[in-house]
Amino acid sequence: VIFRLFSRTRMILKSVISAFLLGVSVYGQSQLVVNGTMTPEQLVQNVLLGGGVTASNITFNGGLATAINAQVGSFTAPVGTNLELTAGIVLSSGNVQSDPGNFIVGADGTTADFASNLMGGGSDPDLELLSGQEINDKAALEFDFIPTGDSLQFKYVFGSEEYPSYTCSDFNDAFGFFLSGPGIAGPYSGGAVNIALVPGTTVPVSINTLNSGVPSWPGDEPNCAA
């Protein structure tokens, strides 16, 4: 994701997905290691943003970002992963560190915690507008930022424990990367635009827009994008 910046801009990352990861690139295959000991504010200042960017007004799920939250953490991939990311932050609808020190190791208990719907994140009007469905257990990281340059670049990975089991169903995990500020006019809160789109389209990122085209039980074709 590359976008042009004008003066003071607000960035909002919102997800109801099993995993949203943001960081820098690498090639390889391995298992991620998650650290859940940093606050959302520390993650923005020390992990997410590089040099030349000043961030302020950091919140998580609408509240103060100065307390550790189970839905957000940092990750590293010492040997590399097929995500093409070496390090960054992770946002989850559940507990990012449900298996201590490991990230989605594949055991049923781990994924159940990781995709938990008991975190109390609640709903979000922008994600509901984006997905066209009811939303629960959002993970929303928001902050203002001022860059010294005129552009920023982010790389993200979208994943869901419910894919492909609930493709084209009423359970539509979704991710939004919302940007607002001078010169930006969009349909979301504060005039924001969503820049998390299927490449080359205006289609948002969700399970019902990214799939094999074959509904899973209890899915139904009308719930999926063409």
Side-chain angles (χ1 to χ4, degrees):
V1 177
I2 303 176
F3 49 90
R4 304 287 291 182
L5 305 175
F6 304 90
S7 184
R8 186 184 187 91
T9 311
R10 184 160 185 83
M11 183 183 303
I12 307 176
L13 313 178
K14 298 180 179 180
S15 75
V16 285
I17 59 181
S18 296
F20 161 72
L21 307 106
L22 188 59
V24 294
S25 62
V26 72
Y27 290 89
Q29 292 183 348
S30 183
Q31 180 172 284
L32 300 185
V33 177
V34 169
N35 181 348
T37 63
M38 300 175 70
T39 68
E41 182 172 23
Q42 291 171 325
L43 290 167
V44 170
Q45 300 285 14
N46 303 328
V47 179
L48 178 62
L49 297 180
V53 182
T54 302
S56 61
N57 299 326
I58 303 169
T59 65
F60 186 74
N61 281 351
L64 294 177
T66 54
I68 294 173
N69 190 291
Q71 289 184 262
V72 61
S74 64
F75 75 89
T76 58
V79 188
T81 76
N82 59 2
L83 297 174
E84 301 182 17
L85 300 172
T86 95
I89 67 169
V90 53
L91 301 179
S92 172
S93 59
N95 190 333
V96 299
Q97 197 166 274
S98 56
D99 184 65
N102 292 310
F103 178 79
I104 299 189
V105 298
D108 290 341
T110 298
T111 54
D113 289 338
F114 188 78
S116 170
N117 61 354
L118 302 176
M119 303 305 293
S123 184
D124 180 84
D126 290 335
L127 286 175
E128 290 201 350
L129 177 61
L130 180 154
S131 68
Q133 295 186 344
E134 182 180 351
I135 289 297
N136 296 289
D137 294 286
K138 73 177 184 296
L141 182 63
E142 307 182 31
F143 55 91
D144 295 335
F145 68 96
I146 302 175
T148 56
D150 66 355
S151 62
L152 282 179
Q153 179 171 315
F154 291 89
K155 179 170 284 190
Y156 70 89
V157 172
F158 168 79
S160 172
E161 185 268 340
E162 292 183 341
Y163 179 84
S165 303
Y166 290 91
T167 301
C168 304
S169 76
D170 292 332
F171 300 96
N172 185 27
D173 289 355
F175 169 65
F177 198 130
F178 300 100
L179 192 69
S180 62
I184 299 174
Y188 301 99
S189 299
V193 294
N194 172 39
I195 58 175
L197 302 172
V198 178
T201 76
T202 59
V203 178
V205 172
S206 75
I207 291 302
N208 285 352
T209 59
L210 294 169
N211 54 68
S212 66
V214 179
S216 303
W217 183 92
D220 189 17
E221 286 185 1
N223 286 327
C224 273

